[in-house]
Amino acid sequence: MEINIATIQREQVNTHLVLQVNDQEFRIILTDDNPNNIKAVFNQLLKELKSGLFNFNLQDDTHDLYHHICKEYLVQLNAELKTIYQELSEYDLLEAK
């Protein structure tokens, strides 16, 4: 299983959870109430999941509210990715290596 890096990008207007998979970055806006953003990122992660199981590890030194929210979000996301990967495997939907 591959371990990918997740970081928090704090800006003056928006704060993002940045998920790095291979050479791609997926951004979830934490300061906007737009579920379509989360859905779009999740769909992209599902496409990447077909190539192999991966998890995210948060790298963030600022222990504020965003840190704690993202840490819990990643626990849930990693569990969901594992479950979906197992289902993809059961239905033979993984890409051949």
Side-chain angles (χ1 to χ4, degrees):
M1 175 183 352
E2 186 176 330
I3 305 295
N4 293 316
I5 296 171
T7 57
I8 301 171
Q9 185 177 31
R10 295 166 180 85
E11 298 174 349
Q12 189 169 350
V13 177
N14 289 317
T15 300
H16 299 86
L17 174 61
V18 181
L19 306 171
Q20 297 176 352
V21 180
N22 300 322
D23 59 347
Q24 298 183 58
E25 281 189 354
F26 302 105
R27 298 170 158 268
I28 296 174
I29 303 171
L30 300 173
T31 51
D32 186 20
D33 187 21
N34 183 356
N36 291 330
N37 172 255
I38 296 171
K39 289 178 189 177
V41 170
F42 192 72
N43 287 335
Q44 293 296 321
L45 293 176
L46 292 181
K47 289 179 185 177
E48 294 293 326
L49 196 58
K50 290 182 177 183
S51 299
L53 182 59
F54 56 85
N55 274 338
F56 290 100
N57 186 18
L58 182 61
Q59 292 187 352
D60 182 62
D61 293 331
T62 305
H63 293 272
D64 59 1
L65 183 60
Y66 290 119
H67 175 89
H68 296 290
I69 289 170
C70 291
K71 191 172 179 180
E72 182 59 33
Y73 181 81
L74 290 176
V75 167
Q76 294 177 22
L77 177 62
N78 287 337
E80 189 71 24
L81 290 172
K82 183 177 180 181
T83 300
I84 292 171
Y85 182 81
Q86 291 169 345
E87 290 176 6
L88 290 171
S89 179
E90 287 176 18
Y91 292 105
D92 200 29
L93 296 173
L94 299 175
E95 294 177 356
K97 293 183 179 183

